[in-house]
Amino acid sequence: MGTAMIRRATAEDLVALQEIEDAADGLFASVFSIADWQPAPSGVERSRHPGFILVASTEPDSRPVGFAHVIEIPGGNHLEQLSVVPSQTGHGYGRALVEAVKTESTQLGRTRVTLRTYVDVAWNAPFYATCGFAESVPDNDFLRDLLSVERQSGLGYARRVQMTCDLSSVRSGMPATMRNSSRGGYAEDHDRGRMGG
């Protein structure tokens, strides 16, 4: 794989998000032996939340192979969802998206990024730990409410935790994985929190 192309999602990109997430969720359905995993929300539905959506692609302006949905919350940003199509996992797209989320959040003046994730799924908590996230305690109403949202959504297949990345050590410069795109570039997405965002 070449360098991951990361950009803000365009209206055209939003169409692909549900398909990407549903494909990625198939990995969870397999791990937890679940036959009826709920379908993902549409990209348009995700775009209605205050925050931003980044997409990763293999070439400039090509169809996304992954995305990160970030919601603005009190005291920082929340990585609501991170999904990469299974055929592209292991090629660095997820990590590039997480690093871009941290950079973008820093540029927006946020001091931290939080997420909720499964503890014992390799591409969840162990992966996020390598990206600078550490287990933390919900400290505002939004984050505490996610616990009840998860219970209502039926996400109790295994232990889940909140993780936080302190952005004070993140430089404000654009990481090497960022490239401008004619479809919006990089300048400018917990309802169910399944992949860990």
Side-chain angles (χ1 to χ4, degrees):
M1 181 202 91
T3 303
M5 301 287 120
I6 308 293
R7 64 179 182 267
R8 284 282 185 125
T10 65
E12 192 175 310
D13 292 327
L14 295 179
V15 176
L17 302 193
Q18 184 175 22
E19 182 181 335
I20 292 169
E21 186 174 350
D22 283 340
D25 282 350
L27 298 174
F28 282 106
S30 161
V31 167
F32 298 128
S33 301
I34 300 163
D36 59 345
W37 196 277
Q38 297 178 14
S42 71
V44 171
E45 185 179 338
R46 286 195 174 282
S47 72
R48 293 183 181 134
H49 295 279
F52 58 91
I53 302 173
L54 300 177
V55 297
S57 61
T58 58
E59 300 292 335
D61 302 328
S62 65
R63 183 176 173 83
V65 297
F67 75 92
H69 174 198
V70 177
I71 298 174
E72 293 176 15
I73 65 168
N77 279 341
H78 185 76
L79 178 55
E80 196 285 327
Q81 186 67 31
L82 175 70
S83 291
V84 175
V85 295
S87 64
Q88 297 294 333
T89 58
H91 296 290
Y93 293 108
R95 186 172 303 278
L97 282 163
V98 171
E99 293 304 319
V101 164
K102 290 161 54 177
T103 298
E104 178 74 356
S105 296
T106 300
Q107 291 174 345
L108 291 171
R110 307 290 185 242
T111 58
R112 68 179 183 172
V113 176
T114 57
L115 56 84
R116 287 202 54 85
T117 191
Y118 288 106
V119 173
D120 297 317
V121 176
W123 64 88
N124 275 203
F127 163 73
Y128 290 115
T130 70
C131 295
F133 287 80
E135 192 169 335
S136 56
V137 177
D139 61 359
N140 63 42
D141 289 342
F142 176 87
L143 295 170
R144 285 187 288 269
D145 287 347
L146 292 182
L147 300 173
S148 60
V149 169
E150 288 182 359
R151 284 192 294 273
Q152 293 169 7
S153 299
L155 292 175
Y157 308 115
R159 189 164 79 88
R160 290 177 62 82
V161 294
Q162 175 180 296
M163 298 183 81
T164 300
C165 180
D166 176 359
L167 298 176
S168 62
S169 62
V170 176
R171 295 181 311 201
S172 62
M174 185 179 296
T177 55
M178 303 307 294
R179 300 289 181 266
N180 283 333
S181 161
S182 62
R183 289 176 29 187
Y186 178 76
E188 291 240 331
D189 88 320
H190 171 43
D191 52 53
R192 295 179 303 174
R194 296 181 306 195
M195 266 308 264

